[in-house]
Amino acid sequence: NAGVTQTPKFRVLKTGQSMTLLCAQDMNHEYMYWYRQDPGMGLRLIHYSVGEGTTAKGEVPDGYNVSRLKKQNFLLGLESAAPSQTSVYFCASSYGVAGVYEQYFGPGTRLTVT
Amino acid sequence: GENVEQHPSTLSVQEGDSAVIKCTYSDSASNYFPWYKQELGKGPQLIIDIRSNVGEKKDQRIAVTLNKTAKHFSLHITETQPEDSAVYFCAARRASTGNQFYFGTGTSLTVIP
């Protein structure tokens, strides 16, 4: 049982390049999330999904797109990377059952945009 | 929307002493408050949580208290050890769809041997 995994662990992009971050979970969780973590700002929600085929905007969605084609995977895309997107990105998942709220996090992806 | 404030941003304690981290929230409808520990280079790990119908919860050296009236909750670590050194985040669950959370800005705890 690997929990939540993320690939890649590190990436350096040039401004304007695109990339996709992959999140996978093996806990059969219904809900999945993408956060970014910046110094002094805690974790901020980018997008989330409440089930396969669904996505919704979080607190800071601009410049990102997501897809949830399979229940176990949640992809985060940057179409045209900007230096302001330099951050550490975390994926998380939760059951989506009433009264069961715990979120489980992946190890993170450190992205630098030059 | 929800606003979660966390204090202090940094905290140093001697090994064996207690550490207290405090958070306040703004949305009275928030009903679940987790605390996460994040070690360097790793993702946040849930260490303890509390629901709005409970005032205090304890797990060995870690405890969390909740004051719904004042809208604040605190993490208490007793008999601190060097391995407690990490960044700690509080969060408040939004009363909305998708099980969304607002996070505090983190407290960097250093336990001095």
Side-chain angles (χ1 to χ4, degrees), chain A residues 9-82:
Chain A
K9 287 183 169 45
F10 303 94
R11 185 73 187 268
V12 178
L13 287 179
K14 294 186 187 303
T15 297
Q17 287 185 320
S18 63
M19 77 163 295
T20 300
L21 281 66
L22 171 64
C23 175
Q25 53 91 8
D26 61 1
M27 297 176 280
N28 200 35
H29 284 173
E30 203 66 37
Y31 292 176
M32 297 186 73
Y33 312 82
W34 276 107
Y35 293 92
R36 61 177 288 171
Q37 184 177 42
D38 302 295
M41 300 190 73
L43 289 154
R44 292 182 293 168
L45 183 64
I46 304 171
H47 286 281
Y48 66 98
S49 168
V50 298
E52 182 179 316
T54 75
T55 63
K57 294 180 180 180
E59 192 182 350
V60 288
D62 294 343
Y64 305 94
N65 56 76
V66 287
S67 63
R68 182 99 181 269
L69 299 179
K70 293 182 179 181
K71 184 176 183 177
Q72 64 268 35
N73 295 338
F74 196 29
L75 279 62
L76 178 71
L78 287 73
E79 291 187 347
S80 179

Side-chain angles (χ1 to χ4, degrees), chain A residues 31 33 35 37 40-45 48 50 57-59 90 94 96 99-108, chain B residues 31-32 36 38 40-46 49 51 87 89 93-94 96-106:
Chain A
Y31 292 176
Y33 312 82
Y35 293 92
Q37 184 177 42
M41 300 190 73
L43 289 154
R44 292 182 293 168
L45 183 64
Y48 66 98
V50 298
K57 294 180 180 180
E59 192 182 350
F90 288 100
S94 67
V100 182
Y101 306 135
E102 296 85 347
Q103 288 192 1
Y104 298 85
F105 283 82
Chain B
N31 62 350
Y32 171 74
Y36 289 87
Q38 186 177 23
L40 196 61
K42 297 185 178 181
Q45 181 181 11
L46 179 69
D49 55 18
R51 294 172 187 253
V87 177
F89 290 95
R93 180 180 181 271
R94 291 181 62 186
S96 66
T97 59
N99 195 35
Q100 297 179 57
F101 289 83
Y102 281 113
F103 285 82
T105 50

